[in-house]
Amino acid sequence: MKELNFRVTALAAYIWSFFEQLGRRASGLITTLVLTALIAPEEYAIIAVCSLVIALGNIISDAGMRVALIKSEKIEANDYSVAFTANILIACCYVLVAYLSAGAVSNLFGVSSGTRLIQVATVAVIANAIGYSSVANLQRNLKFKLTGIAGLVSAVSSAASAICLAVWFDFGVWAIAFQIISQALIYNVLCFYFSLDRPVFCWNIVRFIELFKTSYKVQISNFLNVFTEQFNAPLISAFLSASLAGVYFLATRVRDVIVGQLFTTLQQVLFPLFSGMHRDKKDILSAYRKLLVLSVNIIVPAFTILAFVLPFLLTSVLNENWAQIRSILSILILAAVLYPIHSINLNALKIHGDGSEFLEIEVFKKFLFFPISIIAIQFGVIALAWSELIFSFACFFVNTKYSAKIMGIGRIEQLSIFFKSAFITLIAFSVPYVIFSGLDNLVVSTALIITTFMLLYTLLLWGLDRASFSLLFSEVYHLVRRGKV
């Protein structure tokens, strides 16, 4: 009964969090695609720089409070209010600094015309700070349905408003700034309203320090992660051109919506769900092993199809200013094939480690990232895209340093799981591609390649990795039998 309740809770949480993140990212992507017909790629470089500034502000203003409130086994009466007060105060200070330094930042990244946009858009940092403690309260109590509703409402309403402003009132790139601010404000106000323990302004420096100590290592790693996730587009703008930076930024956003969706959701659900189940650690570690096998055998073939199909679809709806996005997007999707392994290893370490190992790994990866990116940018934007694939494989060996101790699954076993799926995928895709790619009708050719690939992958998985095949289809069968959550 306990295992059944765990599965139902996990699935329900995953579904609601999935649709929340999908709504957020898809609405942003739709708005972006609509605006590609109205503004030039170089204007998207301004949004890339703006996104970096806002992301840094979100991490700093959070101050580790959300993680601390979710992870702590015992929460005192005023903890949510103390965190809420700290978040607001830090956010206000950050926005003031960002406002004063916006000119220098825009000049540094070669988007001097974006100073005013950066100054205005950073207001989103304060809007996000309103809801950190409330979101933590809802996630700690597994109220993912409420956060999901807030996410969907804010995403759809802000996207619709931004499109209206751009199409009918000629707001241009400012429509995206409006979307960023309004989405953050609506989401966090709704979460504040839904919260089971609404925070008020209350200050306790001793309790703030205690909460900060429980999560500062994870927060430092999150701060460093912002650079690896959002640094390349501004780097292109600074070293190459704003136009190329805009193309790369759009490719990254498309990749994140389609590819990053599953793993952002996975991290949001696993952390609060498993943090509250310390006594069932053995069951959780067994679940990690199953999750690793399931994720790899779904994601590797799925990403192969996406890398083949998605760039064609995207270039068919964009004008000639965005022609280079096709090759960039294919490479970025392929660079994400190890995401499930990264996500599972890091979540296991974040939940069951003491924080020092996690911080050690994240810091070391950043020392790898910056030299790889700086060297790659000297050879152009395509080389920079390939550097993300190189960095991802390097990260595997770093992320799995403590896996045998934490999860009971070492590097060799994880590599075996991955390369089995990759080998089967390579064979299953190569055969129909060689046979059907020469057909004159592109739609028919693509449909035959995908259909044959899926059939061959299933047959090869059954023949070469019977254990993974049985696990995959037994879980699918259970989901179908269980029906609605």
Side-chain angles (χ1 to χ4, degrees):
M1 181 63 68
K2 182 185 294 184
E3 181 179 359
L4 179 61
N5 290 336
F6 175 81
R7 285 189 174 191
V8 171
T9 302
L11 183 61
Y14 184 87
I15 289 174
W16 278 109
S17 189
F18 177 89
F19 281 109
E20 176 197 345
Q21 287 296 317
L22 181 62
R24 282 169 169 262
R25 297 188 181 209
S27 63
L29 177 61
I30 291 171
T31 306
T32 301
L33 291 177
V34 170
L35 292 180
T36 55
L38 304 175
I39 63 177
E42 50 266 25
E43 292 187 277
Y44 275 99
I46 301 174
I47 297 298
V49 175
C50 194
S51 297
L52 176 62
V53 174
I54 292 174
L56 290 173
N58 289 338
I59 295 296
I60 292 172
S61 62
D62 180 284
M65 294 297 102
R66 189 179 68 86
V67 172
L69 292 172
I70 292 174
K71 189 174 182 179
S72 299
E73 294 187 25
K74 184 179 179 181
I75 295 293
E76 296 183 7
N78 293 325
D79 282 355
Y80 290 108
S81 295
V82 170
F84 172 76
T85 304
N87 295 151
I88 295 294
L89 292 176
I90 297 172
C92 289
C93 293
Y94 179 86
V95 169
L96 177 60
V97 173
Y99 182 88
L100 296 175
S101 60
V105 171
S106 60
N107 289 330
L108 175 65
F109 291 108
V111 288
S112 56
S113 61
T115 300
R116 183 63 63 186
L117 186 69
I118 293 172
Q119 290 175 330
V120 173
T122 49
V123 173
V125 175
I126 298 177
N128 284 319
I130 294 172
Y132 287 135
S133 59
S134 298
V135 172
N137 177 265
L138 293 171
Q139 290 184 344
R140 181 181 176 87
N141 291 282
L142 305 181
K143 301 297 183 181
F144 288 95
K145 180 177 180 178
L146 296 177
T147 58
I149 292 172
L152 288 173
V153 170
S154 62
V156 174
S157 59
S158 61
S161 300
I163 292 173
C164 290
L165 290 174
V167 174
W168 289 311
F169 296 96
D170 197 27
F171 267 50
V173 72
W174 281 92
I176 299 180
F178 176 84
Q179 182 187 17
I180 293 171
I181 297 171
S182 61
Q183 182 171 332
L185 185 62
I186 295 170
Y187 175 75
N188 288 286
V189 168
L190 284 175
C191 286
F192 181 88
Y193 176 78
F194 290 147
S195 178
L196 304 179
D197 185 5
R198 292 181 193 171
V200 296
F201 283 105
C202 174
W203 187 241
N204 185 328
I205 185 64
V206 174
R207 189 54 185 159
F208 171 77
I209 293 174
E210 290 175 351
L211 290 171
F212 181 75
K213 284 182 178 180
T214 65
S215 61
Y216 78 93
K217 293 178 181 178
V218 173
Q219 199 65 10
I220 292 174
S221 69
N222 290 337
F223 179 83
L224 296 173
N225 279 340
V226 169
F227 289 98
T228 58
E229 293 170 358
Q230 303 199 40
F231 185 68
N232 278 349
L235 184 69
I236 294 170
S237 183
F239 279 83
L240 298 177
S241 72
S243 179
L244 282 176
V247 173
Y248 198 95
F249 178 67
L250 179 60
T252 303
R253 291 194 71 168
V254 174
R255 190 270 309 269
D256 288 345
V257 170
I258 307 299
V259 173
Q261 174 62 39
L262 296 173
F263 305 111
T264 301
T265 306
L266 183 68
Q267 290 178 341
Q268 281 195 335
V269 172
L270 281 180
F271 186 65
L273 190 62
F274 290 164
S275 290
M277 300 183 64
H278 297 289
R279 296 180 182 178
D280 299 316
K281 184 175 180 179
K282 183 180 294 186
D283 293 337
I284 293 172
L285 297 184
S286 175
Y288 275 129
R289 183 185 296 269
K290 290 182 179 180
L291 187 60
L292 182 66
V293 173
L294 290 170
S295 298
V296 168
N297 283 284
I298 292 173
I299 295 306
V300 173
F303 285 8
T304 301
I305 294 175
L306 288 173
F308 172 66
V309 174
L310 194 58
F312 285 101
L313 295 177
L314 195 59
T315 51
S316 66
V317 299
L318 299 177
N319 59 44
E320 63 278 3
N321 293 331
W322 304 89
Q324 287 186 279
I325 198 172
R326 179 173 167 179
S327 53
I328 294 172
L329 181 57
S330 293
I331 298 169
L332 291 180
I333 293 175
L334 290 176
V337 293
L338 284 172
Y339 275 20
I341 297 180
H342 295 331
S343 179
I344 292 167
N345 279 284
L346 292 176
N347 269 288
L349 187 60
K350 188 186 296 185
I351 294 168
H352 302 294
D354 62 5
S356 59
E357 299 101 332
F358 187 85
L359 181 59
E360 173 193 339
I361 283 175
E362 291 300 311
V363 170
F364 184 76
K365 285 192 298 185
K366 303 314 171 284
F367 280 107
L368 287 176
F369 171 78
F370 288 110
I372 291 174
S373 295
I374 296 298
I375 293 172
I377 196 68
Q378 310 303 320
F379 299 93
V381 67
I382 299 298
L384 186 65
W386 280 114
S387 75
E388 293 206 23
L389 178 62
I390 296 171
F391 176 68
S392 182
F393 274 90
C395 285
F396 168 80
F397 293 96
V398 180
N399 291 340
T400 54
K401 179 178 180 180
Y402 298 102
S403 296
K405 179 180 73 172
I406 298 293
M407 298 170 56
I409 312 174
R411 287 173 179 157
I412 301 301
E413 184 176 356
Q414 293 190 42
L415 279 174
S416 175
I417 293 170
F418 172 76
F419 280 116
K420 279 182 183 178
S421 180
F423 176 72
I424 293 172
T425 299
L426 180 62
I427 296 176
F429 183 78
S430 298
V431 172
Y433 183 79
V434 170
I435 296 173
F436 300 118
S437 61
L439 296 179
D440 294 333
N441 192 314
L442 181 60
V443 175
V444 173
S445 172
T446 302
L448 287 172
I449 290 173
I450 294 174
T451 303
T452 308
F453 166 69
M454 293 174 65
L455 178 61
L456 281 177
Y457 183 85
T458 303
L459 292 174
L460 289 172
L461 185 65
W462 177 80
L464 300 178
D465 192 358
R466 193 70 58 86
S468 296
F469 177 88
S470 300
L471 176 61
L472 177 62
F473 282 89
S474 66
E475 290 299 319
V476 171
Y477 175 77
H478 285 310
L479 288 177
V480 173
R481 283 289 304 271
R482 190 151 47 236
K484 295 182 179 180
V485 179

